[in-house]
Amino acid sequence: MIHSLMRKRNALLTTAVLSALSLPAYAADADADSLQVKTDPIVVTASRTEQLLRESPASAEVITRKDIDRMGAENLAQALRLAVGIDIRENGMVGNQSAIRGLSTNQTLILIDGRRIRTEDTSQTANYYELQRINMDDVDRIEVVRGAASSLYGADALGGVINIIRKTPKQDSVSVLTDWTTRQKDGGIRVERKKRGKWALSSSFKMTDIHERGTNAASNMYGDKYFFNIDGRMELTKNKRVDVFLDYLRENLYMKDSATQGTDYNHDRISTGVTLSGEDKRGSYDLRAYYTYFNKDQNTRNRLTSALSSFDVMKFNSYILDGKRSVQLGDNHLVTFGGEYRVEDMESTRIQGAGTLVREGTTNHLGDSTMKYAALYLQDEWCISPKWLLIPSVRWDYNDTFGTEVTGKLGTTYQLSKNTRIKANVGTAYRAPTASELYFDWQHTPNAAMVVHIHGNPNLQPEKALNFDLGIEAERGKHFGKLTYFHNKVDDLININTTLTPVPFPTFHMLANGVYENVSSATMQGIEAELRRPLGAGFSLRGTYTYLDARDDTTGKRLEGRARHTASLQLSYENPKNGIDAILWNDWTSGYRYSEQVGRASVSRDANLSLMNFVIRKKFSDRFSAYLGIDNIFDKSSNALASDGRIWRTGVRMTF
C-alpha cells in the first residue's frame, strides 16, 4: 500500500500531487462487501517531506481540527489528552508537561509550522508553559511524532516532536469564539480573507483570564494572557509563494508564593519571519528566516507593604535561518537535503555574570550568554518495492561550545498484506546543555522557611541517546489495531541533584541547594497499544495503553515523574444528521513514581489515579456550535499527580 510513493515517480511534490495527497484515498478491502473510504492525514514532521500517515515509518499521530472541536479544547494540553504515549499532566506549580515515552519535557521539540519556539531553557521550565501559550483558534491540526528525531531536527528532539500546523485562509469569514471553565475564560476573534489578487490574509486576537484558585491547587498562578497573530501569503507565480507572519504573546500573571509574599510575572514574546517556497520540475524547496524576542520580567514583593524583595529579568533573542530542497533522483528515490543556522542570545539575572542591575534599591547580578548552532542534513526516501519503503537520514550539528555531533536514523515500512504493515525505526539523538544549565546562578526564597539556590555546571556533557522501536498495525474496514515496542537509552542525562540542609541562623530555615549534573545512563522502554472499533448507531470505541519501565542504569532505581501504566478507554458518539457528537472517556494512571519528604529523608512512593471525563457538542448550523464538558467528573484529587478537582467547561463558536 505504498501507492503515494509510487506516484512520486512522475510528478513528486508538484502542486498537483500535493493537492491529490490532501484528498481522501479510496481503497477496497478484499474481505469487505463494499468500498471503504480512508482519509489518511498527512504527516510533515515525521520526515522533511509530506507522507500519508499509514506509510510513514515513524510512530506518529495526527490530531485534526475535528478532534480539537470535539474535545472543546481551548489549549494545547487539552487537545493532546487522548494522544498515545505523551504525558501532559500539570506541573507541580505551573504549566504542563509534554513528555514523550518517558523522556523529559525538555527533550520534546515543539514546533509551529516547523519553526522552533523560543521558550525557557532550564530542564525544569523548558516547554512547561508552551501548552498554554498556543491560540487554538489558529490551529488546523497537531502532529505528534514519537521517538528520536535529532537526525532531522537536531537537539531537543530526543523524545519526539509536536508540530502545530496553523490554518490557511480558505474563505472570507469572521469567527467569534468564547470559552468558560471553572479555571479560566477566553474570548477571541479570527478574520480570514481568501486570496484577492496575489494576497491571502488571516489575523486573530484572543484574551484569556485565568481565575485565582486555592492555595492548595496544583497551579495557583492567575491573571491575563493576550494573543495576536497575522499571517499572509503572496503568490509570486503559480508554483512560488512568500509567507510572512507576526505573533505576539503577553502574559500578566501573579502567584502567591506564601502568606507574606507574591510574584508578578510579566512576559512578552514577539516572533516574526518570512518564507520563500515553491515547486519545480525536480521537486520542492523552501528558505526561511525568522526572529523571536522573549522577555521575562518577574518581581517578588511583600504582599502587605508591596516592598520589592527580589526580581528576575530574562531576555532571549533567537535568529534562525533554515532551508531545504527535495529532489527526485530516479524512479524510486526522493532525496531531501537542508541546513540551519541559529544564534541564541540570553541576558539574565539567573545566570552567572559580572554585571549588576538595580531596581527599587534591590541589586541583582546580571549575566549574558550567546550560543551559535549550525546544521546540515540529508534524507533519502527509497521505495525498494511497492511493499517496502526505506528512509535513511543523517545530520551534522555544530555547537560553538561543544563542537560537532553526527546523528542518524533508519526507518522502514513493510507491507505484509494489503491492510497489515510492520514499521521499524532505529536512530541516535543528542541534546546539548542550554546556557541556563551551564551557567545558572539563582537564589529564591519561596517562603520564610525555605531558601532555594540552583547552580549551573559548565562541565556538563551533551545528552546522547540510542532509540529504536518496532511496531505492527492493521485495519479491517473501520477496525484498527497497533502494537509498538520502544527502547530509549540515554547517556549523560542532565538532572538536578538537590540536597536539603537545615540552617539555624539568623532564623531557622531549610536550604535547598541544586546543582546540574549528568546521570551516566538511563533506559526507558515499554509498549504502546491502540485499538479502535465501531459499535454501530454512531458509537465507536477506542482504547490505548502504555507500559513504561524507566530506570537509572547505575542504581537500577526507577526514574521519578513517570507512570508505569497509563491507559484510556474512549466511547465516542457522532450523529451528523442532528449535528451532535460526544465523547466519554476514562484515563487511568498507575505506578506514578514520585518522592515525598518525610522529616529530612526523601521517600519514593507510587501514586494511582482514575479520572472520567465527558464532552458533548451541538452543531446548530455550519456557522454556529456550542459544547459542554466536565473534566474529572467524580472530583478526585491527587497532590502527586497534580489533580485538584472537577472542572466544568463550555464554549460557543460563531462564524459570519
Side-chain angles (χ1 to χ4, degrees):
M1 279 289 184
I2 309 184
H3 54 280
S4 67
L5 291 173
M6 301 301 289
R7 282 201 307 268
K8 292 178 182 178
R9 291 181 175 181
N10 300 320
L12 192 62
L13 293 176
T14 62
T15 304
V17 171
L18 291 177
S19 299
L21 286 174
S22 301
L23 299 175
Y26 295 85
D29 190 322
D31 298 321
D33 296 327
S34 61
L35 195 71
Q36 57 176 298
V37 180
K38 299 177 181 177
T39 55
D40 285 293
I42 293 174
V43 175
V44 176
T45 53
S47 70
R48 288 281 186 167
T49 63
E50 299 191 349
Q51 296 174 323
L52 296 180
L53 179 61
R54 59 185 283 149
E55 295 173 359
S56 170
S59 182
E61 182 172 357
V62 176
I63 297 146
T64 66
R65 184 69 229 183
K66 181 179 178 181
D67 297 327
I68 294 169
D69 291 338
R70 183 182 62 169
M71 292 284 292
E74 74 266 10
N75 58 55
L76 189 58
Q78 290 181 352
L80 292 169
R81 292 176 67 183
L82 302 184
V84 180
I86 179 169
D87 180 2
I88 49 88
R89 78 185 71 253
E90 286 193 50
N91 188 24
M93 293 294 289
V94 292
N96 295 82
Q97 299 187 57
S98 53
I100 298 176
R101 288 182 170 176
L103 275 297
S104 300
T105 297
N106 63 331
Q107 294 164 331
T108 298
L109 180 61
I110 300 179
L111 307 170
I112 297 179
D113 290 331
R115 303 188 307 266
R116 287 175 174 267
I117 298 176
R118 189 62 175 99
T119 182
E120 290 80 357
D121 68 349
T122 73
S123 58
Q124 279 63 49
T125 58
N127 293 336
Y128 272 108
Y129 305 93
E130 297 311 318
L131 302 192
Q132 305 286 342
R133 285 176 171 164
I134 302 297
N135 183 356
M136 295 302 296
D137 304 341
D138 297 331
V139 177
D140 178 65
R141 68 183 186 274
I142 305 159
E143 300 166 356
V144 180
V145 179
R146 298 180 291 272
S150 286
S151 63
L152 291 179
Y153 291 96
D156 310 324
L158 272 75
V161 176
I162 299 172
N163 192 11
I164 299 114
I165 308 299
R166 296 204 295 205
K167 298 175 181 176
T168 56
K170 297 178 181 177
Q171 61 182 357
D172 291 338
S173 65
V174 178
S175 301
V176 179
L177 312 103
T178 180
D179 299 281
W180 177 91
T181 80
T182 46
R183 292 191 177 182
Q184 67 183 51
K185 58 184 178 182
D186 307 276
I189 183 170
R190 176 177 169 83
V191 180
E192 294 187 12
R193 195 192 78 167
K194 66 181 180 181
K195 190 174 76 169
R196 286 184 174 85
K198 292 187 175 183
W199 279 95
L201 298 169
S202 66
S203 182
S204 65
F205 173 79
K206 183 177 183 180
M207 186 186 113
T208 298
D209 179 11
I210 304 171
H211 309 320
E212 181 179 357
R213 298 159 64 189
T215 56
N216 294 324
S219 174
N220 56 9
M221 185 180 284
Y222 61 94
D224 299 327
K225 294 187 178 186
Y226 303 88
F227 305 83
F228 174 75
N229 159 259
I230 184 167
D231 279 301
R233 168 169 288 187
M234 182 175 69
E235 296 286 347
L236 299 176
T237 64
K238 182 179 180 181
N239 296 319
K240 185 185 296 185
R241 68 203 69 88
V242 172
D243 293 283
V244 295
F245 77 94
L246 173 67
D247 293 339
Y248 175 69
L249 167 71
R250 172 71 176 175
E251 295 176 326
N252 298 322
L253 304 171
Y254 181 77
M255 184 166 66
K256 297 176 182 177
D257 299 328
S258 67
T260 59
Q261 73 176 27
T263 301
D264 292 302
Y265 298 84
N266 302 307
H267 304 156
D268 294 275
R269 182 165 66 190
I270 300 172
S271 299
T272 186
V274 59
T275 302
L276 171 67
S277 59
E279 300 85 32
D280 56 25
K281 293 180 180 180
R282 297 293 293 171
S284 68
Y285 59 88
D286 64 59
L287 179 65
R288 175 171 53 195
Y290 58 104
Y291 164 75
T292 301
Y293 168 76
F294 187 23
N295 178 55
K296 296 171 62 66
D297 194 334
Q298 301 174 182
N299 300 279
T300 301
R301 298 179 180 274
N302 185 292
R303 292 176 57 198
L304 300 177
T305 66
S306 295
L308 184 70
S309 57
S310 66
F311 67 92
D312 289 294
V313 175
M314 289 153 278
K315 295 181 179 180
F316 303 89
N317 289 278
S318 292
Y319 310 84
I320 301 179
L321 176 67
D322 66 28
K324 70 178 178 68
R325 171 70 161 152
S326 294
V327 178
Q328 184 75 37
L329 296 181
D331 288 340
N332 300 322
H333 292 272
L334 174 65
V335 174
T336 300
F337 56 91
E340 175 188 41
Y341 179 72
R342 176 163 45 110
V343 178
E344 293 188 351
D345 292 330
M346 177 182 181
E347 184 180 54
S348 174
T349 53
R350 293 191 179 189
I351 64 174
Q352 300 165 16
T356 58
L357 192 62
V358 180
R359 177 175 292 178
E360 298 180 28
T362 301
T363 302
N364 208 338
H365 71 269
L366 183 66
D368 61 82
S369 169
T370 298
M371 301 184 76
K372 299 178 181 179
Y373 306 81
L376 296 171
Y377 62 84
L378 176 67
Q379 173 187 274
D380 179 24
E381 294 176 63
W382 180 15
C383 191
I384 299 175
S385 73
K387 291 186 176 183
W388 191 5
L389 170 65
L390 193 67
I391 303 182
S393 60
V394 63
R395 178 174 173 122
W396 171 87
D397 275 276
Y398 169 77
N399 178 297
D400 65 349
T401 302
F402 295 97
T404 62
E405 185 71 28
V406 176
T407 54
K409 184 177 181 179
L410 182 65
T412 187
T413 300
Y414 184 79
Q415 204 79 27
L416 294 175
S417 65
K418 191 171 186 178
N419 298 306
T420 304
R421 56 204 161 272
I422 291 176
K423 296 184 177 184
N425 298 274
V426 59
T428 56
Y430 94 109
R431 188 183 75 87
T434 65
S436 290
E437 292 166 342
L438 292 169
Y439 311 120
F440 218 67
D441 183 11
W442 181 55
Q443 183 167 307
H444 180 58
T445 306
N447 55 63
M450 177 70 72
V451 174
V452 178
H453 198 168
I454 301 178
H455 306 266
N457 181 357
N459 296 317
L460 287 175
Q461 297 299 310
E463 298 174 326
K464 297 182 181 181
L466 174 63
N467 168 278
F468 70 86
D469 58 55
L470 177 64
I472 183 170
E473 60 183 44
E475 61 274 331
R476 182 182 178 87
K478 294 183 179 180
H479 297 74
F480 175 82
K482 183 176 183 179
L483 182 67
T484 303
Y485 169 75
F486 62 89
H487 187 283
N488 301 309
K489 184 175 179 61
V490 184
D491 293 328
D492 293 320
L493 187 71
I494 297 174
N495 189 33
I496 286 187
N497 183 13
T498 303
T499 57
L500 293 175
T501 305
V503 180
F505 299 105
T507 58
F508 181 84
H509 63 274
M510 296 295 291
L511 173 62
N513 198 59
V515 180
Y516 282 98
E517 64 177 14
N518 288 113
V519 176
S520 60
S521 180
T523 298
M524 285 136 283
Q525 60 181 331
I527 295 172
E528 295 167 346
E530 179 183 4
L531 291 171
R532 296 196 303 262
R533 63 166 297 169
L535 300 177
F539 288 93
S540 61
L541 193 65
R542 178 180 184 240
T544 67
Y545 169 73
T546 301
Y547 168 79
L548 175 66
D549 182 34
R551 295 183 181 274
D552 183 324
D553 292 338
T554 303
T555 64
K557 294 182 179 179
R558 286 179 55 202
L559 297 177
E560 295 182 351
R562 295 150 172 95
R564 172 156 284 182
H565 307 277
T566 55
S568 180
L569 187 61
Q570 305 152 21
L571 178 65
S572 300
Y573 172 76
E574 186 173 6
N575 188 329
K577 183 178 180 180
N578 295 327
I580 295 176
D581 56 58
I583 179 169
L584 174 71
W585 78 99
N586 200 97
D587 295 326
W588 289 272
T589 301
S590 175
Y592 179 82
R593 179 57 56 95
Y594 71 102
S595 61
E596 188 173 78
Q597 201 66 28
V598 180
R600 297 184 182 180
S602 181
V603 180
S604 294
R605 302 189 187 280
D606 283 350
N608 306 299
L609 187 64
S610 173
L611 300 178
M612 183 170 285
N613 316 274
F614 176 72
V615 179
I616 185 170
R617 183 177 65 129
K618 168 67 175 176
K619 191 174 181 180
F620 297 94
S621 69
D622 290 338
R623 298 181 177 273
F624 179 66
S625 65
Y627 75 89
L628 175 67
I630 311 173
D631 296 340
N632 191 357
I633 292 175
F634 298 111
D635 199 25
K636 295 185 178 181
S637 300
S638 169
N639 291 332
L641 291 165
S643 174
D644 51 22
R646 184 186 300 115
I647 302 172
W648 291 86
R649 303 191 287 122
T650 186
V652 174
R653 305 284 188 271
M654 294 177 286
T655 302
F656 305 97

